[in-house]
Amino acid sequence: MSAKLKIGILGGGGILTAHAPGYTRLAHLCEVVVAETDASRHSEIRRLLGEDVAIVEDYTEILADKDVDAVDILLPHYLHAPAAIAAAEAGKHVLIEKVMARNVEECDLMIRACENAGVSLTVCHDRRYDADWQALKQVVDSGELGDILFWKLEHNQNVVFPERSWVRSKEMLGGGAIMSCLTHQIDSLRWYEGEVDQVTCMTKTEPDRMEGESIGAVLAKMRSGALALLSINWYTQSHQAPDGLWYEFNHVTGTKGEAYFMSGKGTYVKIHDGSSKQFRYDLKGEGSFVKVDVKKELTGHQRCIEQWVKSLRGEQAEILTDGTDSRQTVEVAEAAYRAEETKAVVSLPLQPAR
Ligand SMILES: NC(=O)c1ccc[n+]([C@@H]2O[C@H](COP(=O)([O-])OP(=O)(O)OC[C@H]3O[C@@H](n4cnc5c(N)ncnc54)[C@H](O)[C@@H]3O)[C@@H](O)[C@H]2O)c1
């Protein structure tokens, strides 16, 4: 394929900062046009994508442009399903920033619309494309940790949105911090360990921050038999403090070893007997944790966009997050909410609510 792709970016808010470098480095392969209703964002969009970048106001203007091949949806969650469905009906391939949609019902409508239109549906769950998170997956997939017993995944942030932000609305967000952001951890857990069998959940809401929960803990039993504890804390400043804690942390315990990823630190592994067949860990001594050598050339967002553009060009691509897969992540979050509401353990797949 020689002609440049034309990609419409729907929404030029905060997360454009992560997507824009994915496109500027591929400027020889694709041109972009951005839709953003808030004119006060336009100068920042130009700063990120270049002074010449085309900007329109509403995303429907991009969908009406016959020259646009595909769209990258960076809109608030309540617009994910309507925008993706309209894009599919207009014949555009769809990349959508996580979380795919507010609930499984919306995900299914999006999947059906894309299937009917014969266009692809990809979700930008960036952690799956990040070199450190991929390194942890390689360690687990090597089998050297033995049987996996337990996962612990944490996300810590200090999230304070302006009073009129859509993030404060449970309806617009699709819940709270679990649906919005712990879906990073849920999605990664499913990628690392397979599907979830059962969940239970507790949450804490701080109405001065948002209608949905700011804090949540999900306990999951995996189909593999492993347990997983996932937590989100949108009320902590510890990760920003000097000598504070971490932003994200994944820890896996197996019968023969353990491994973890910690933001700002990297990916580490410990094989209990100190030997490794598949990896050349820099073993400093029997029983110690050693750092996995990770080459971090691109961010997860940049790599996701790179692979997506390859797939659009008909080239071999590593798409790790298609719509049907990412739908299962939303299902786990929805099951967690149902568990909290009913004070029960909820089994997956979800049965329709009575
Ligand atoms: N991967 C990550 O770590 C990460 C971090 C933050 C946000 N996100 C995700 O990014 C997505 C967007 O979040 P955000 O933080 O950028 O939100 P945001 O509110 O900053 O940006 C959304 C933008 O969409 C614009 N918009 C609304 N309606 C529009 C329309 N009809 N046409 C054109 N533009 C319109 C808004 O004006 C706004 O600028 C969400 O899915 C969110 O979950 C991901």
Side-chain angles (χ1 to χ4, degrees):
M1 185 178 188
S2 54
K4 273 191 186 184
L5 289 165
K6 188 168 180 187
I7 294 177
I9 301 179
L10 314 189
I15 201 61
L16 182 65
T17 312
H19 283 243
Y23 293 107
T24 50
R25 64 182 287 276
L26 300 181
H28 56 296
L29 300 178
C30 50
E31 63 166 304
V32 297
V33 49
V34 183
E36 173 53 62
T37 43
D38 179 356
S40 73
R41 290 285 309 163
H42 289 188
S43 60
E44 175 65 1
I45 294 168
R46 287 194 191 93
R47 190 187 71 77
L48 290 168
L49 287 162
E51 282 304 315
D52 302 338
V53 68
I55 304 178
V56 299
E57 282 199 358
D58 196 83
Y59 77 77
T60 51
E61 293 177 57
I62 288 186
L63 301 188
D65 181 346
K66 294 213 171 0
D67 293 336
V68 169
D69 302 288
V71 295
D72 182 4
I73 300 177
L74 311 183
L75 294 166
H77 298 167
Y78 67 97
L79 292 175
H80 281 198
I85 292 165
E89 287 169 353
K92 323 287 187 205
H93 297 283
V94 175
L95 175 66
I96 190 151
E97 176 57 41
K98 72 81 206 159
V99 54
M100 183 174 170
R102 296 175 298 176
N103 51 53
V104 170
E105 194 183 347
E106 287 188 336
C107 293
D108 286 341
L109 291 172
M110 292 158 73
I111 292 167
R112 203 172 317 139
C114 289
E115 277 173 3
N116 288 345
V119 296
S120 61
L121 174 59
T122 308
V123 181
C124 186
H125 266 297
D126 58 285
R127 271 53 168 184
R128 289 202 194 194
Y129 299 89
D130 178 280
D132 261 308
W133 294 59
Q134 293 192 338
L136 186 61
K137 175 145 175 75
Q138 280 173 7
V139 170
V140 174
D141 288 353
S142 75
E144 294 202 37
L145 301 182
D147 295 335
I148 303 302
L149 305 172
F150 184 54
W151 281 92
K152 189 171 183 199
L153 296 99
E154 293 182 11
H155 185 108
N156 295 310
Q157 248 184 302
N158 180 30
V159 175
V160 190
F161 279 93
E163 220 155 277
R164 295 176 64 185
S165 167
W166 60 275
V167 178
R168 284 182 176 248
S169 157
K170 202 172 172 178
E171 170 72 17
M172 290 179 174
L173 191 68
I178 291 176
M179 183 61 85
S180 186
C181 200
L182 191 65
T183 36
H184 280 305
Q185 278 61 40
I186 294 171
D187 188 69
S188 303
L189 174 67
R190 292 184 43 252
W191 181 49
Y192 289 140
E193 188 60 30
E195 294 303 337
V196 172
D197 189 39
Q198 299 177 337
V199 285
T200 190
C201 169
M202 288 189 193
T203 63
K204 179 95 184 90
T205 301
E206 289 299 310
D208 65 317
R209 291 275 173 109
M210 52 197 274
E211 286 173 14
E213 75 283 350
S214 293
I215 296 172
V218 175
L219 181 60
K221 178 119 186 195
M222 309 302 290
R223 277 192 206 155
S224 66
L227 283 189
L229 180 60
L230 303 93
S231 68
I232 184 144
N233 182 352
W234 266 8
Y235 215 96
T236 177
Q237 299 181 17
S238 71
H239 65 297
Q240 299 164 317
D243 298 327
L245 299 177
W246 41 85
Y247 165 54
E248 290 184 306
F249 175 60
N250 305 335
H251 177 225
V252 53
T253 305
T255 50
K256 294 184 180 164
E258 51 197 276
Y260 69 84
F261 159 75
M262 189 185 286
S263 306
K265 193 173 169 196
T267 305
Y268 288 76
V269 63
K270 172 186 191 316
I271 308 294
H272 294 324
D273 70 4
S275 69
S276 171
K277 291 190 199 74
Q278 298 190 42
F279 293 96
R280 291 181 58 217
Y281 301 125
D282 172 25
L283 292 174
K284 288 188 205 115
E286 205 170 300
S288 64
F289 271 99
V290 290
K291 190 166 187 175
V292 181
D293 187 20
V294 173
K295 304 237 171 332
K296 210 158 176 160
E297 281 148 10
L298 299 177
T299 65
H301 282 100
Q302 287 167 1
R303 203 171 129 65
C304 178
I305 288 165
E306 175 188 77
Q307 295 304 308
W308 181 60
V309 167
K310 273 189 176 197
S311 74
L312 295 176
R313 291 172 52 80
E315 296 168 10
Q316 183 88 18
E318 202 178 10
I319 298 294
L320 304 170
T321 48
D322 70 27
T324 47
D325 187 305
S326 300
R327 171 213 185 270
Q328 308 299 99
T329 291
V330 173
E331 186 178 36
V332 175
E334 206 177 320
Y337 286 142
R338 199 178 290 178
E340 151 117 286
E341 275 160 33
T342 57
K343 297 189 172 33
V345 174
V346 169
S347 296
L348 286 106
L350 269 180
Q351 302 304 313
R354 270 182 256 159

